[in-house]
Amino acid sequence: MLYVFRNMYKLKVSNLLKDGVHFGHSISKLNPKMKPYILMKNKGIHIIDLYKTINKLCLSCNYLNQIATSGKVVLFVGTKRQAKNLIAYYAQKINMPYINERWLGGLLTNFSTIQKSIDKMNVIETNQSLGLYNLISKKERLLISRVHSKLKKNLGTVSQLQVLPDCIIIVDINKEKPAVNEALKLGIPIVGIADTNSNPDQINFPIPGNDDNSKSINLILYYISNALEAGIDLYLKNQTK
């Protein structure tokens, strides 16, 4: 637990309160599995116990730090409006793949087929950079451009995913159910923000928190990415020894 104690000692309940991490959904939307993480009810909504959020966030960050230290790959997933730009920002910051538009069915469970499409997209981009398509007709270039645009839209953010991820980080495990299901089928660990309408038991590292507020999402992703970045830095340092 050394990483958590050294790098997260400043994380306090007041930080989470300020960014609204404690606000759950309306009482009517409660998933009974989330009861252990609820502190109270207030004005028709459930209030999340932030001490438990901190505990789970620390456990998640410690785990992510350890796998990053081993040079493993983490996939960020979050397609909802409040999360998509943050997912892109934090994933790009540490050079990890991400999905923030839509989950491509079979990305994990049919990875070999998806990988062929990724390779095709990368080949087109390489040929474009080398100017090889200047040697073919305008009509052929247009057809290739259309194929590339379609591939880029669906696969652009995971183009560097050459192997199955060792872990998936998910914002809103309800909305990203297809990603959760594929990861569970393959036994890929999941770290995810679990709001009061979620089932935290279906993922390995649930972080109780508000998954509808961009400030809440940002705060949690900030600590997650820092944990990963510290692990990546240590991995790279060990590689140069």
Side-chain angles (χ1 to χ4, degrees), residues 189-214:
I190 302 170
V191 174
I193 302 177
D195 212 326
T196 56
N197 64 336
S198 307
N199 178 4
D201 293 350
Q202 65 182 166
I203 65 175
N204 308 78
F205 295 91
I207 303 169
N210 183 347
D211 63 13
D212 289 317
N213 182 288
S214 58

mmCIF file with all atom_site columns, all heavy atoms in Angstrom, residues 189-214:
data_model
loop_
_atom_site.group_PDB
_atom_site.id
_atom_site.type_symbol
_atom_site.label_atom_id
_atom_site.label_alt_id
_atom_site.label_comp_id
_atom_site.label_asym_id
_atom_site.label_entity_id
_atom_site.label_seq_id
_atom_site.pdbx_PDB_ins_code
_atom_site.Cartn_x
_atom_site.Cartn_y
_atom_site.Cartn_z
_atom_site.occupancy
_atom_site.B_iso_or_equiv
_atom_site.pdbx_formal_charge
_atom_site.auth_seq_id
_atom_site.auth_comp_id
_atom_site.auth_asym_id
_atom_site.auth_atom_id
_atom_site.pdbx_PDB_model_num
ATOM 1   N N   . PRO A 1 189 ? -9.852  -7.698 -15.478 1.00 0.00 ? 189 PRO A N   1
ATOM 2   C CA  . PRO A 1 189 ? -10.266 -6.896 -14.318 1.00 0.00 ? 189 PRO A CA  1
ATOM 3   C C   . PRO A 1 189 ? -10.841 -5.538 -14.728 1.00 0.00 ? 189 PRO A C   1
ATOM 4   O O   . PRO A 1 189 ? -10.392 -4.930 -15.703 1.00 0.00 ? 189 PRO A O   1
ATOM 5   C CB  . PRO A 1 189 ? -8.967  -6.714 -13.529 1.00 0.00 ? 189 PRO A CB  1
ATOM 6   C CG  . PRO A 1 189 ? -8.097  -7.841 -13.967 1.00 0.00 ? 189 PRO A CG  1
ATOM 7   C CD  . PRO A 1 189 ? -8.440  -8.076 -15.420 1.00 0.00 ? 189 PRO A CD  1
ATOM 8   N N   . ILE A 1 190 ? -11.824 -5.082 -13.961 1.00 0.00 ? 190 ILE A N   1
ATOM 9   C CA  . ILE A 1 190 ? -12.492 -3.809 -14.236 1.00 0.00 ? 190 ILE A CA  1
ATOM 10  C C   . ILE A 1 190 ? -12.387 -2.892 -13.024 1.00 0.00 ? 190 ILE A C   1
ATOM 11  O O   . ILE A 1 190 ? -12.688 -3.294 -11.904 1.00 0.00 ? 190 ILE A O   1
ATOM 12  C CB  . ILE A 1 190 ? -13.989 -4.014 -14.558 1.00 0.00 ? 190 ILE A CB  1
ATOM 13  C CG1 . ILE A 1 190 ? -14.164 -4.939 -15.763 1.00 0.00 ? 190 ILE A CG1 1
ATOM 14  C CG2 . ILE A 1 190 ? -14.685 -2.676 -14.806 1.00 0.00 ? 190 ILE A CG2 1
ATOM 15  C CD1 . ILE A 1 190 ? -15.598 -5.386 -15.982 1.00 0.00 ? 190 ILE A CD1 1
ATOM 16  N N   . VAL A 1 191 ? -11.956 -1.664 -13.269 1.00 0.00 ? 191 VAL A N   1
ATOM 17  C CA  . VAL A 1 191 ? -12.020 -0.585 -12.279 1.00 0.00 ? 191 VAL A CA  1
ATOM 18  C C   . VAL A 1 191 ? -13.104 0.361  -12.771 1.00 0.00 ? 191 VAL A C   1
ATOM 19  O O   . VAL A 1 191 ? -13.047 0.823  -13.916 1.00 0.00 ? 191 VAL A O   1
ATOM 20  C CB  . VAL A 1 191 ? -10.681 0.170  -12.164 1.00 0.00 ? 191 VAL A CB  1
ATOM 21  C CG1 . VAL A 1 191 ? -10.831 1.372  -11.236 1.00 0.00 ? 191 VAL A CG1 1
ATOM 22  C CG2 . VAL A 1 191 ? -9.581  -0.757 -11.660 1.00 0.00 ? 191 VAL A CG2 1
ATOM 23  N N   . GLY A 1 192 ? -14.099 0.648  -11.949 1.00 0.00 ? 192 GLY A N   1
ATOM 24  C CA  . GLY A 1 192 ? -15.195 1.473  -12.448 1.00 0.00 ? 192 GLY A CA  1
ATOM 25  C C   . GLY A 1 192 ? -15.850 2.329  -11.389 1.00 0.00 ? 192 GLY A C   1
ATOM 26  O O   . GLY A 1 192 ? -15.872 1.969  -10.208 1.00 0.00 ? 192 GLY A O   1
ATOM 27  N N   . ILE A 1 193 ? -16.365 3.478  -11.825 1.00 0.00 ? 193 ILE A N   1
ATOM 28  C CA  . ILE A 1 193 ? -17.147 4.325  -10.928 1.00 0.00 ? 193 ILE A CA  1
ATOM 29  C C   . ILE A 1 193 ? -18.536 3.707  -10.802 1.00 0.00 ? 193 ILE A C   1
ATOM 30  O O   . ILE A 1 193 ? -19.208 3.464  -11.803 1.00 0.00 ? 193 ILE A O   1
ATOM 31  C CB  . ILE A 1 193 ? -17.265 5.761  -11.469 1.00 0.00 ? 193 ILE A CB  1
ATOM 32  C CG1 . ILE A 1 193 ? -15.871 6.370  -11.678 1.00 0.00 ? 193 ILE A CG1 1
ATOM 33  C CG2 . ILE A 1 193 ? -18.071 6.632  -10.501 1.00 0.00 ? 193 ILE A CG2 1
ATOM 34  C CD1 . ILE A 1 193 ? -15.894 7.764  -12.286 1.00 0.00 ? 193 ILE A CD1 1
ATOM 35  N N   . ALA A 1 194 ? -18.957 3.446  -9.564  1.00 0.00 ? 194 ALA A N   1
ATOM 36  C CA  . ALA A 1 194 ? -20.253 2.807  -9.311  1.00 0.00 ? 194 ALA A CA  1
ATOM 37  C C   . ALA A 1 194 ? -21.176 3.787  -8.601  1.00 0.00 ? 194 ALA A C   1
ATOM 38  O O   . ALA A 1 194 ? -20.984 4.105  -7.428  1.00 0.00 ? 194 ALA A O   1
ATOM 39  C CB  . ALA A 1 194 ? -20.061 1.548  -8.468  1.00 0.00 ? 194 ALA A CB  1
ATOM 40  N N   . ASP A 1 195 ? -22.175 4.276  -9.312  1.00 0.00 ? 195 ASP A N   1
ATOM 41  C CA  . ASP A 1 195 ? -23.177 5.167  -8.725  1.00 0.00 ? 195 ASP A CA  1
ATOM 42  C C   . ASP A 1 195 ? -24.218 4.315  -8.004  1.00 0.00 ? 195 ASP A C   1
ATOM 43  O O   . ASP A 1 195 ? -24.179 3.084  -8.056  1.00 0.00 ? 195 ASP A O   1
ATOM 44  C CB  . ASP A 1 195 ? -23.820 6.025  -9.822  1.00 0.00 ? 195 ASP A CB  1
ATOM 45  C CG  . ASP A 1 195 ? -24.239 7.398  -9.327  1.00 0.00 ? 195 ASP A CG  1
ATOM 46  O OD1 . ASP A 1 195 ? -24.643 7.509  -8.151  1.00 0.00 ? 195 ASP A OD1 1
ATOM 47  O OD2 . ASP A 1 195 ? -24.164 8.364  -10.104 1.00 0.00 ? 195 ASP A OD2 1
ATOM 48  N N   . THR A 1 196 ? -25.171 4.953  -7.353  1.00 0.00 ? 196 THR A N   1
ATOM 49  C CA  . THR A 1 196 ? -26.119 4.219  -6.512  1.00 0.00 ? 196 THR A CA  1
ATOM 50  C C   . THR A 1 196 ? -27.109 3.355  -7.294  1.00 0.00 ? 196 THR A C   1
ATOM 51  O O   . THR A 1 196 ? -27.834 2.563  -6.705  1.00 0.00 ? 196 THR A O   1
ATOM 52  C CB  . THR A 1 196 ? -26.902 5.187  -5.605  1.00 0.00 ? 196 THR A CB  1
ATOM 53  O OG1 . THR A 1 196 ? -27.553 6.181  -6.417  1.00 0.00 ? 196 THR A OG1 1
ATOM 54  C CG2 . THR A 1 196 ? -25.972 5.871  -4.622  1.00 0.00 ? 196 THR A CG2 1
ATOM 55  N N   . ASN A 1 197 ? -27.136 3.506  -8.610  1.00 0.00 ? 197 ASN A N   1
ATOM 56  C CA  . ASN A 1 197 ? -28.004 2.661  -9.445  1.00 0.00 ? 197 ASN A CA  1
ATOM 57  C C   . ASN A 1 197 ? -27.232 1.495  -10.068 1.00 0.00 ? 197 ASN A C   1
ATOM 58  O O   . ASN A 1 197 ? -27.733 0.808  -10.948 1.00 0.00 ? 197 ASN A O   1
ATOM 59  C CB  . ASN A 1 197 ? -28.670 3.497  -10.542 1.00 0.00 ? 197 ASN A CB  1
ATOM 60  C CG  . ASN A 1 197 ? -27.656 4.076  -11.520 1.00 0.00 ? 197 ASN A CG  1
ATOM 61  O OD1 . ASN A 1 197 ? -26.484 4.247  -11.182 1.00 0.00 ? 197 ASN A OD1 1
ATOM 62  N ND2 . ASN A 1 197 ? -28.105 4.391  -12.717 1.00 0.00 ? 197 ASN A ND2 1
ATOM 63  N N   . SER A 1 198 ? -26.002 1.282  -9.614  1.00 0.00 ? 198 SER A N   1
ATOM 64  C CA  . SER A 1 198 ? -25.131 0.261  -10.200 1.00 0.00 ? 198 SER A CA  1
ATOM 65  C C   . SER A 1 198 ? -25.041 -0.984 -9.324  1.00 0.00 ? 198 SER A C   1
ATOM 66  O O   . SER A 1 198 ? -25.388 -0.964 -8.144  1.00 0.00 ? 198 SER A O   1
ATOM 67  C CB  . SER A 1 198 ? -23.717 0.835  -10.387 1.00 0.00 ? 198 SER A CB  1
ATOM 68  O OG  . SER A 1 198 ? -23.734 2.044  -11.105 1.00 0.00 ? 198 SER A OG  1
ATOM 69  N N   . ASN A 1 199 ? -24.530 -2.039 -9.915  1.00 0.00 ? 199 ASN A N   1
ATOM 70  C CA  . ASN A 1 199 ? -24.222 -3.258 -9.178  1.00 0.00 ? 199 ASN A CA  1
ATOM 71  C C   . ASN A 1 199 ? -22.704 -3.350 -9.023  1.00 0.00 ? 199 ASN A C   1
ATOM 72  O O   . ASN A 1 199 ? -22.005 -3.774 -9.947  1.00 0.00 ? 199 ASN A O   1
ATOM 73  C CB  . ASN A 1 199 ? -24.749 -4.488 -9.914  1.00 0.00 ? 199 ASN A CB  1
ATOM 74  C CG  . ASN A 1 199 ? -24.404 -5.788 -9.186  1.00 0.00 ? 199 ASN A CG  1
ATOM 75  O OD1 . ASN A 1 199 ? -23.844 -5.772 -8.096  1.00 0.00 ? 199 ASN A OD1 1
ATOM 76  N ND2 . ASN A 1 199 ? -24.725 -6.907 -9.796  1.00 0.00 ? 199 ASN A ND2 1
ATOM 77  N N   . PRO A 1 200 ? -22.160 -2.974 -7.868  1.00 0.00 ? 200 PRO A N   1
ATOM 78  C CA  . PRO A 1 200 ? -20.708 -2.963 -7.683  1.00 0.00 ? 200 PRO A CA  1
ATOM 79  C C   . PRO A 1 200 ? -20.096 -4.352 -7.646  1.00 0.00 ? 200 PRO A C   1
ATOM 80  O O   . PRO A 1 200 ? -18.884 -4.510 -7.836  1.00 0.00 ? 200 PRO A O   1
ATOM 81  C CB  . PRO A 1 200 ? -20.546 -2.259 -6.332  1.00 0.00 ? 200 PRO A CB  1
ATOM 82  C CG  . PRO A 1 200 ? -21.805 -2.584 -5.595  1.00 0.00 ? 200 PRO A CG  1
ATOM 83  C CD  . PRO A 1 200 ? -22.879 -2.598 -6.647  1.00 0.00 ? 200 PRO A CD  1
ATOM 84  N N   . ASP A 1 201 ? -20.928 -5.383 -7.417  1.00 0.00 ? 201 ASP A N   1
ATOM 85  C CA  . ASP A 1 201 ? -20.416 -6.746 -7.294  1.00 0.00 ? 201 ASP A CA  1
ATOM 86  C C   . ASP A 1 201 ? -19.942 -7.329 -8.617  1.00 0.00 ? 201 ASP A C   1
ATOM 87  O O   . ASP A 1 201 ? -19.193 -8.306 -8.636  1.00 0.00 ? 201 ASP A O   1
ATOM 88  C CB  . ASP A 1 201 ? -21.492 -7.673 -6.710  1.00 0.00 ? 201 ASP A CB  1
ATOM 89  C CG  . ASP A 1 201 ? -21.824 -7.336 -5.263  1.00 0.00 ? 201 ASP A CG  1
ATOM 90  O OD1 . ASP A 1 201 ? -21.094 -6.525 -4.659  1.00 0.00 ? 201 ASP A OD1 1
ATOM 91  O OD2 . ASP A 1 201 ? -22.813 -7.889 -4.737  1.00 0.00 ? 201 ASP A OD2 1
ATOM 92  N N   . GLN A 1 202 ? -20.364 -6.725 -9.728  1.00 0.00 ? 202 GLN A N   1
ATOM 93  C CA  . GLN A 1 202 ? -20.007 -7.300 -11.018 1.00 0.00 ? 202 GLN A CA  1
ATOM 94  C C   . GLN A 1 202 ? -18.636 -6.844 -11.523 1.00 0.00 ? 202 GLN A C   1
ATOM 95  O O   . GLN A 1 202 ? -18.154 -7.340 -12.542 1.00 0.00 ? 202 GLN A O   1
ATOM 96  C CB  . GLN A 1 202 ? -21.081 -6.986 -12.069 1.00 0.00 ? 202 GLN A CB  1
ATOM 97  C CG  . GLN A 1 202 ? -21.224 -5.518 -12.413 1.00 0.00 ? 202 GLN A CG  1
ATOM 98  C CD  . GLN A 1 202 ? -22.335 -5.258 -13.408 1.00 0.00 ? 202 GLN A CD  1
ATOM 99  O OE1 . GLN A 1 202 ? -22.766 -4.138 -13.610 1.00 0.00 ? 202 GLN A OE1 1
ATOM 100 N NE2 . GLN A 1 202 ? -22.810 -6.298 -14.054 1.00 0.00 ? 202 GLN A NE2 1
ATOM 101 N N   . ILE A 1 203 ? -18.005 -5.899 -10.809 1.00 0.00 ? 203 ILE A N   1
ATOM 102 C CA  . ILE A 1 203 ? -16.667 -5.471 -11.221 1.00 0.00 ? 203 ILE A CA  1
ATOM 103 C C   . ILE A 1 203 ? -15.677 -5.689 -10.075 1.00 0.00 ? 203 ILE A C   1
ATOM 104 O O   . ILE A 1 203 ? -16.061 -5.804 -8.918  1.00 0.00 ? 203 ILE A O   1
ATOM 105 C CB  . ILE A 1 203 ? -16.649 -3.997 -11.691 1.00 0.00 ? 203 ILE A CB  1
ATOM 106 C CG1 . ILE A 1 203 ? -16.992 -3.036 -10.552 1.00 0.00 ? 203 ILE A CG1 1
ATOM 107 C CG2 . ILE A 1 203 ? -17.607 -3.806 -12.861 1.00 0.00 ? 203 ILE A CG2 1
ATOM 108 C CD1 . ILE A 1 203 ? -16.859 -1.575 -10.948 1.00 0.00 ? 203 ILE A CD1 1
ATOM 109 N N   . ASN A 1 204 ? -14.404 -5.721 -10.421 1.00 0.00 ? 204 ASN A N   1
ATOM 110 C CA  . ASN A 1 204 ? -13.367 -6.061 -9.443  1.00 0.00 ? 204 ASN A CA  1
ATOM 111 C C   . ASN A 1 204 ? -13.057 -4.933 -8.475  1.00 0.00 ? 204 ASN A C   1
ATOM 112 O O   . ASN A 1 204 ? -12.845 -5.163 -7.281  1.00 0.00 ? 204 ASN A O   1
ATOM 113 C CB  . ASN A 1 204 ? -12.084 -6.458 -10.187 1.00 0.00 ? 204 ASN A CB  1
ATOM 114 C CG  . ASN A 1 204 ? -12.320 -7.523 -11.235 1.00 0.00 ? 204 ASN A CG  1
ATOM 115 O OD1 . ASN A 1 204 ? -12.813 -7.212 -12.312 1.00 0.00 ? 204 ASN A OD1 1
ATOM 116 N ND2 . ASN A 1 204 ? -11.986 -8.757 -10.932 1.00 0.00 ? 204 ASN A ND2 1
ATOM 117 N N   . PHE A 1 205 ? -13.013 -3.711 -9.002  1.00 0.00 ? 205 PHE A N   1
ATOM 118 C CA  . PHE A 1 205 ? -12.650 -2.555 -8.175  1.00 0.00 ? 205 PHE A CA  1
ATOM 119 C C   . PHE A 1 205 ? -13.679 -1.440 -8.349  1.00 0.00 ? 205 PHE A C   1
ATOM 120 O O   . PHE A 1 205 ? -13.466 -0.501 -9.122  1.00 0.00 ? 205 PHE A O   1
ATOM 121 C CB  . PHE A 1 205 ? -11.247 -2.056 -8.541  1.00 0.00 ? 205 PHE A CB  1
ATOM 122 C CG  . PHE A 1 205 ? -10.145 -3.026 -8.240  1.00 0.00 ? 205 PHE A CG  1
ATOM 123 C CD1 . PHE A 1 205 ? -9.738  -3.945 -9.192  1.00 0.00 ? 205 PHE A CD1 1
ATOM 124 C CD2 . PHE A 1 205 ? -9.527  -3.032 -6.997  1.00 0.00 ? 205 PHE A CD2 1
ATOM 125 C CE1 . PHE A 1 205 ? -8.727  -4.857 -8.917  1.00 0.00 ? 205 PHE A CE1 1
ATOM 126 C CE2 . PHE A 1 205 ? -8.512  -3.930 -6.706  1.00 0.00 ? 205 PHE A CE2 1
ATOM 127 C CZ  . PHE A 1 205 ? -8.118  -4.848 -7.666  1.00 0.00 ? 205 PHE A CZ  1
ATOM 128 N N   . PRO A 1 206 ? -14.814 -1.538 -7.645  1.00 0.00 ? 206 PRO A N   1
ATOM 129 C CA  . PRO A 1 206 ? -15.819 -0.462 -7.727  1.00 0.00 ? 206 PRO A CA  1
ATOM 130 C C   . PRO A 1 206 ? -15.395 0.749  -6.899  1.00 0.00 ? 206 PRO A C   1
ATOM 131 O O   . PRO A 1 206 ? -14.847 0.597  -5.801  1.00 0.00 ? 206 PRO A O   1
ATOM 132 C CB  . PRO A 1 206 ? -17.067 -1.117 -7.139  1.00 0.00 ? 206 PRO A CB  1
ATOM 133 C CG  . PRO A 1 206 ? -16.538 -2.131 -6.177  1.00 0.00 ? 206 PRO A CG  1
ATOM 134 C CD  . PRO A 1 206 ? -15.247 -2.634 -6.763  1.00 0.00 ? 206 PRO A CD  1
ATOM 135 N N   . ILE A 1 207 ? -15.629 1.933  -7.440  1.00 0.00 ? 207 ILE A N   1
ATOM 136 C CA  . ILE A 1 207 ? -15.368 3.182  -6.714  1.00 0.00 ? 207 ILE A CA  1
ATOM 137 C C   . ILE A 1 207 ? -16.710 3.882  -6.549  1.00 0.00 ? 207 ILE A C   1
ATOM 138 O O   . ILE A 1 207 ? -17.239 4.451  -7.514  1.00 0.00 ? 207 ILE A O   1
ATOM 139 C CB  . ILE A 1 207 ? -14.384 4.087  -7.485  1.00 0.00 ? 207 ILE A CB  1
ATOM 140 C CG1 . ILE A 1 207 ? -13.073 3.348  -7.749  1.00 0.00 ? 207 ILE A CG1 1
ATOM 141 C CG2 . ILE A 1 207 ? -14.125 5.382  -6.709  1.00 0.00 ? 207 ILE A CG2 1
ATOM 142 C CD1 . ILE A 1 207 ? -12.154 4.066  -8.718  1.00 0.00 ? 207 ILE A CD1 1
ATOM 143 N N   . PRO A 1 208 ? -17.315 3.847  -5.365  1.00 0.00 ? 208 PRO A N   1
ATOM 144 C CA  . PRO A 1 208 ? -18.623 4.490  -5.163  1.00 0.00 ? 208 PRO A CA  1
ATOM 145 C C   . PRO A 1 208 ? -18.530 5.991  -5.425  1.00 0.00 ? 208 PRO A C   1
ATOM 146 O O   . PRO A 1 208 ? -17.695 6.676  -4.821  1.00 0.00 ? 208 PRO A O   1
ATOM 147 C CB  . PRO A 1 208 ? -18.941 4.216  -3.691  1.00 0.00 ? 208 PRO A CB  1
ATOM 148 C CG  . PRO A 1 208 ? -18.027 3.111  -3.287  1.00 0.00 ? 208 PRO A CG  1
ATOM 149 C CD  . PRO A 1 208 ? -16.806 3.260  -4.116  1.00 0.00 ? 208 PRO A CD  1
ATOM 150 N N   . GLY A 1 209 ? -19.362 6.484  -6.328  1.00 0.00 ? 209 GLY A N   1
ATOM 151 C CA  . GLY A 1 209 ? -19.289 7.907  -6.628  1.00 0.00 ? 209 GLY A CA  1
ATOM 152 C C   . GLY A 1 209 ? -20.264 8.325  -7.702  1.00 0.00 ? 209 GLY A C   1
ATOM 153 O O   . GLY A 1 209 ? -20.852 7.506  -8.415  1.00 0.00 ? 209 GLY A O   1
ATOM 154 N N   . ASN A 1 210 ? -20.425 9.623  -7.823  1.00 0.00 ? 210 ASN A N   1
ATOM 155 C CA  . ASN A 1 210 ? -21.308 10.248 -8.799  1.00 0.00 ? 210 ASN A CA  1
ATOM 156 C C   . ASN A 1 210 ? -20.699 10.110 -10.195 1.00 0.00 ? 210 ASN A C   1
ATOM 157 O O   . ASN A 1 210 ? -19.637 10.659 -10.474 1.00 0.00 ? 210 ASN A O   1
ATOM 158 C CB  . ASN A 1 210 ? -21.468 11.724 -8.418  1.00 0.00 ? 210 ASN A CB  1
ATOM 159 C CG  . ASN A 1 210 ? -22.409 12.480 -9.316  1.00 0.00 ? 210 ASN A CG  1
ATOM 160 O OD1 . ASN A 1 210 ? -22.783 12.009 -10.383 1.00 0.00 ? 210 ASN A OD1 1
ATOM 161 N ND2 . ASN A 1 210 ? -22.796 13.674 -8.890  1.00 0.00 ? 210 ASN A ND2 1
ATOM 162 N N   . ASP A 1 211 ? -21.372 9.374  -11.079 1.00 0.00 ? 211 ASP A N   1
ATOM 163 C CA  . ASP A 1 211 ? -20.839 9.194  -12.431 1.00 0.00 ? 211 ASP A CA  1
ATOM 164 C C   . ASP A 1 211 ? -21.569 10.052 -13.463 1.00 0.00 ? 211 ASP A C   1
ATOM 165 O O   . ASP A 1 211 ? -21.437 9.842  -14.666 1.00 0.00 ? 211 ASP A O   1
ATOM 166 C CB  . ASP A 1 211 ? -20.878 7.724  -12.842 1.00 0.00 ? 211 ASP A CB  1
ATOM 167 C CG  . ASP A 1 211 ? -22.290 7.143  -12.923 1.00 0.00 ? 211 ASP A CG  1
ATOM 168 O OD1 . ASP A 1 211 ? -23.267 7.920  -12.907 1.00 0.00 ? 211 ASP A OD1 1
ATOM 169 O OD2 . ASP A 1 211 ? -22.424 5.909  -12.999 1.00 0.00 ? 211 ASP A OD2 1
ATOM 170 N N   . ASP A 1 212 ? -22.352 11.038 -12.985 1.00 0.00 ? 212 ASP A N   1
ATOM 171 C CA  . ASP A 1 212 ? -23.085 11.920 -13.886 1.00 0.00 ? 212 ASP A CA  1
ATOM 172 C C   . ASP A 1 212 ? -22.555 13.357 -13.897 1.00 0.00 ? 212 ASP A C   1
ATOM 173 O O   . ASP A 1 212 ? -22.993 14.169 -14.709 1.00 0.00 ? 212 ASP A O   1
ATOM 174 C CB  . ASP A 1 212 ? -24.573 11.961 -13.506 1.00 0.00 ? 212 ASP A CB  1
ATOM 175 C CG  . ASP A 1 212 ? -25.277 10.657 -13.823 1.00 0.00 ? 212 ASP A CG  1
ATOM 176 O OD1 . ASP A 1 212 ? -25.031 10.098 -14.912 1.00 0.00 ? 212 ASP A OD1 1
ATOM 177 O OD2 . ASP A 1 212 ? -26.058 10.168 -12.985 1.00 0.00 ? 212 ASP A OD2 1
ATOM 178 N N   . ASN A 1 213 ? -21.653 13.650 -12.997 1.00 0.00 ? 213 ASN A N   1
ATOM 179 C CA  . ASN A 1 213 ? -21.128 15.010 -12.859 1.00 0.00 ? 213 ASN A CA  1
ATOM 180 C C   . ASN A 1 213 ? -19.681 15.048 -13.338 1.00 0.00 ? 213 ASN A C   1
ATOM 181 O O   . ASN A 1 213 ? -18.854 14.257 -12.887 1.00 0.00 ? 213 ASN A O   1
ATOM 182 C CB  . ASN A 1 213 ? -21.228 15.445 -11.388 1.00 0.00 ? 213 ASN A CB  1
ATOM 183 C CG  . ASN A 1 213 ? -20.739 16.860 -11.172 1.00 0.00 ? 213 ASN A CG  1
ATOM 184 O OD1 . ASN A 1 213 ? -19.545 17.131 -11.241 1.00 0.00 ? 213 ASN A OD1 1
ATOM 185 N ND2 . ASN A 1 213 ? -21.651 17.776 -10.896 1.00 0.00 ? 213 ASN A ND2 1
ATOM 186 N N   . SER A 1 214 ? -19.379 15.961 -14.253 1.00 0.00 ? 214 SER A N   1
ATOM 187 C CA  . SER A 1 214 ? -18.042 16.006 -14.840 1.00 0.00 ? 214 SER A CA  1
ATOM 188 C C   . SER A 1 214 ? -16.954 16.300 -13.802 1.00 0.00 ? 214 SER A C   1
ATOM 189 O O   . SER A 1 214 ? -15.838 15.781 -13.904 1.00 0.00 ? 214 SER A O   1
ATOM 190 C CB  . SER A 1 214 ? -17.982 17.052 -15.962 1.00 0.00 ? 214 SER A CB  1
ATOM 191 O OG  . SER A 1 214 ? -18.339 18.334 -15.479 1.00 0.00 ? 214 SER A OG  1
#
